[in-house]
Amino acid sequence: MTEAAGIQLAANTDASEHRPLIITLFALFVVATLVITVWAGRQTKNAADFYAGGRQFTAFQNGLAVSGDYMSAASFLGIAGAIALFGYDGFLYSIGFLVAWLVALLLVAEPLRNSGRYTMGDVLAYRMRQRPVRTAAGASTIVVSIFYLLAQMAGAGVLVSLLLGITSDAGKVLIVALVGILMIVYVTIGGMKGTTWVQMVKAVLLIAGTLLITVLVLVKFNFNVSDLLGTAAENSGKGAAFLEPGLKYGLTETSKLDFISLGIALVLGTAGLPHILIRFYTVPTAKAARKSVNWAIGIIGGFYLMTIALGFGAAALLTPEEITSSNAAGNTAAPLLAMEIGGGGDSTGGAILLAVISAVAFATILAVVAGLTLASSSSFAHDIYANVIRRGKATEKEEVRAARLATIAIGIVSIGLGALARDLNVAGLVALAFAVAASANLPTLLYSLFWKRFTTTGALWSIYGGLSSSVLLVLFSPVVSSKPSSMFPDADFALFPLENPGLISIPLGFLLGWLGSLLSKEEPDLKKYAELEVKSLTGTGAH
């Protein structure tokens, strides 16, 4: 499933006639979010404000922000397209994304909030040697964030360029640069407070836009879901097979393994994504962290249920050729459905709905980009600068300044890479982000919280082993070469047959953590583990 970089609106959408409306909606969102950011920035006084929003957000507010941070362009556009093209098998993406939150709720949210302060490195460093584990945690966080960030940046460039009719390479690079500048402004000025409010606004817009299209689709079929599904199956050209498993992932043994691998990465990767983990620190208590995950599950679950109407609605009202004519992966399904349900490309209703959905997609990208940038800059400033380079002697003011400078640096890197990747298939980048999170971050986090024999060596083996194995497997997979949809379709060095490395790299990350701890000559600090266990389960001494 690709991110928004795959979006290519066909010429027959008459986008040129709608550009004034699209530009107006984009401008309104940008101005509104900038006002929120400046307001939040004035209330950011110290490190706790910058990293964790002063821990002042309620469970509902944080749940809404988590939803806004999590529901990326892949969720909104990719899942709708997958369902429109592959029916039942497409909806399996929604299940994977949603079930992932149960892992976060049951294993991560509350212990992490109790044990850490601002980053994942805080948890690891509590009972292990600070400098090596913070360096490893910071490196992993930055790698995951930048690859995920790159996908969003490239997606924003393509989406905005095509909707505004920009075709030149210089114009596309300029769009990527403008998105990067907005991202830098959000984080450097607003910190966690500004980013959280932007994510809440985006979540409301996304839910409202999706709900509107869902209701209009159901009205079209007189709220008869059976009629909707039947029409979709007939119109897809696949018949009853469209509503049954196996259309995409049951053709070969490799495709079945690929789905298992992707599913494992999605379900386990979410609980290790840095921009999701830091959200648990923005609430005052562990109980609020747990409640915020409950809110997020409800909001995200409702959203994914609505993607059924979007996907099957597109399949029922558009032909497969119309869906794939502008993008083979089907990422145009939601915008095209919005235009069709509004009365078609020549109608005012179609123009308005197309503009609304396009603006919501842009808002989605901006909010996720801000969250990723904050996660990576926070990890650099708090883990690497303050505790590794300055050995814990940096003041809060110096730490926040380092975070802001890191934001600018990461923004510049993302602009450069996003500009280079604007024409590439970014599925590999998204797969890499989830695979690294599940292979490196999650095993180390779970071992630290729940295994008393875990050592610094085990943590380093787990993080660096999971990181390197997932990167190498993706580089030598069909995502990068050998297929028409690959990053380099004319090359062929796909030695690994699966498109997602999770099936191999995630067990390897857990195995290396266990093996490194057993082979280490270092004795685990059982006293520190007992303290961490009490702290993680009860919240005693939590910040």
Side-chain angles (χ1 to χ4, degrees):
M1 178 174 58
T2 63
E3 287 281 334
I7 303 167
Q8 296 183 12
L9 294 180
N12 61 6
T13 62
D14 297 322
S16 59
E17 297 178 13
H18 312 148
R19 277 177 199 138
L21 182 60
I22 293 171
I23 292 172
T24 301
L25 286 172
F26 279 13
L28 284 173
F29 175 78
V30 170
V31 170
T33 51
L34 284 175
V35 169
I36 291 170
T37 301
V38 171
W39 166 77
R42 290 178 177 174
Q43 301 180 53
T44 300
K45 309 295 183 185
N46 52 38
D49 288 337
F50 187 87
Y51 292 135
R55 310 189 200 281
Q56 296 172 350
F57 291 102
T58 66
F60 172 71
Q61 287 175 327
N62 193 49
L64 196 59
V66 166
S67 305
D69 212 0
Y70 187 68
M71 295 184 295
S72 69
S75 301
F76 180 45
L77 300 165
I79 292 176
I83 294 173
L85 294 178
F86 301 106
Y88 182 94
D89 277 14
F91 181 59
L92 293 176
Y93 280 110
S94 297
I95 297 173
F97 278 123
L98 183 57
V99 169
W101 280 102
L102 295 178
V103 178
L105 174 64
L106 297 174
L107 297 178
V108 173
E110 190 170 353
L112 190 74
R113 173 61 188 82
N114 283 337
S115 307
R117 195 175 179 196
Y118 301 130
T119 67
M120 180 182 73
D122 288 335
V123 179
L124 305 184
Y126 190 84
R127 52 180 289 226
M128 298 173 193
R129 297 199 307 275
Q130 284 226 10
R131 298 186 76 198
V133 296
R134 282 192 185 275
T135 302
S140 179
T141 294
I142 292 170
V143 168
V144 174
S145 297
I146 283 185
F147 275 99
Y148 212 131
L149 194 58
L150 174 55
Q152 300 289 334
M153 292 286 286
V158 173
L159 171 65
V160 179
S161 298
L162 291 173
L163 286 172
L164 302 185
I166 297 171
T167 56
S168 68
D169 286 341
K172 292 178 181 178
V173 171
L174 179 61
I175 292 297
V176 171
L178 288 174
V179 172
I181 291 168
L182 277 174
M183 168 187 77
I184 292 169
V185 169
Y186 286 157
V187 177
T188 53
I189 295 178
M192 178 58 86
K193 285 187 178 180
T195 300
T196 299
W197 282 105
V198 168
Q199 288 164 346
M200 284 193 279
V201 170
K202 169 256 172 155
V204 172
L205 288 175
L206 182 59
I207 293 295
T210 309
L211 180 61
L212 175 62
I213 303 301
T214 298
V215 170
L216 291 175
V217 167
L218 292 176
V219 167
K220 186 84 172 178
F221 290 90
N222 298 316
F223 291 90
N224 188 327
V225 176
S226 179
D227 191 19
L228 167 62
L229 296 178
T231 305
E234 183 180 349
N235 201 44
S236 70
K238 306 292 194 309
F242 191 70
L243 304 178
E244 298 172 356
L247 198 57
K248 182 176 183 180
Y249 292 109
L251 301 178
T252 64
E253 289 302 316
T254 301
S255 68
K256 292 176 182 178
L257 289 174
D258 225 344
F259 175 69
I260 294 171
S261 190
L262 177 64
I264 291 172
L266 293 180
V267 169
L268 297 181
T270 297
L273 288 174
H275 64 300
I276 299 299
L277 294 178
I278 64 171
R279 292 235 54 90
F280 299 138
Y281 296 122
T282 64
V283 290
T285 65
K287 183 179 180 181
R290 187 173 66 250
K291 284 186 175 181
S292 67
V293 176
N294 288 334
W295 276 111
I297 289 175
I299 294 167
I300 294 169
F303 168 77
Y304 284 137
L305 283 176
M306 290 189 287
T307 61
I308 301 175
L310 264 61
F312 284 110
L317 299 174
L318 302 166
T319 66
E321 292 72 27
E322 287 174 320
I323 295 171
T324 58
S325 61
S326 54
N327 177 252
N331 288 324
T332 55
L336 290 173
L337 172 64
M339 189 180 62
E340 180 66 27
I341 205 75
D346 297 327
S347 69
T348 303
I352 292 173
L353 284 182
L354 174 65
V356 167
I357 294 304
S358 301
V360 167
F362 184 63
T364 294
I365 291 168
L366 277 182
V368 175
V369 155
L372 288 163
T373 309
L374 183 63
S376 49
S377 63
S378 297
S379 187
F380 172 81
H382 184 64
D383 290 324
I384 297 176
Y385 172 75
N387 287 288
V388 175
I389 297 174
R390 294 294 304 277
R391 298 175 181 266
K393 296 178 181 178
T395 65
E396 282 197 352
K397 188 175 180 180
E398 290 173 335
E399 199 173 320
V400 171
R401 187 191 307 124
R404 287 181 166 135
L405 291 174
T407 298
I408 295 171
I410 289 164
I412 292 171
V413 169
S414 300
I415 289 170
L417 293 176
L420 291 173
R422 65 187 182 278
D423 295 324
L424 296 181
N425 182 312
V426 295
L429 302 174
V430 179
L432 182 58
F434 273 90
V436 171
S439 305
N441 294 351
L442 186 64
T444 314
L445 198 57
L446 293 182
Y447 279 145
S448 294
L449 290 171
F450 302 113
W451 187 30
K452 65 182 178 181
R453 305 297 303 175
F454 196 46
T455 65
T456 302
T457 302
L460 298 180
W461 281 31
S462 184
I463 291 178
Y464 290 128
L467 180 67
S468 57
S469 64
S470 55
V471 169
L472 286 173
L473 289 175
V474 169
L475 286 177
F476 291 102
S477 77
V479 167
V480 176
S481 69
S482 81
K483 292 175 65 176
S485 59
S486 300
M487 290 182 183
F488 304 103
D490 297 328
D492 187 3
F493 47 88
L495 305 178
F496 183 64
L498 305 183
E499 293 191 6
N500 191 285
L503 195 61
I504 304 298
S505 61
I506 296 173
L508 186 61
F510 279 98
L511 176 64
L512 288 172
W514 172 76
L515 193 60
S517 296
L518 290 186
L519 297 180
S520 172
K521 295 179 180 179
E522 171 192 1
E523 284 295 322
D525 191 333
L526 299 182
K527 182 180 178 182
K528 277 286 188 182
Y529 172 74
E531 291 175 5
L532 180 64
E533 186 176 34
V534 172
K535 189 176 181 181
S536 66
L537 295 177
T538 67
T540 303
H543 292 280

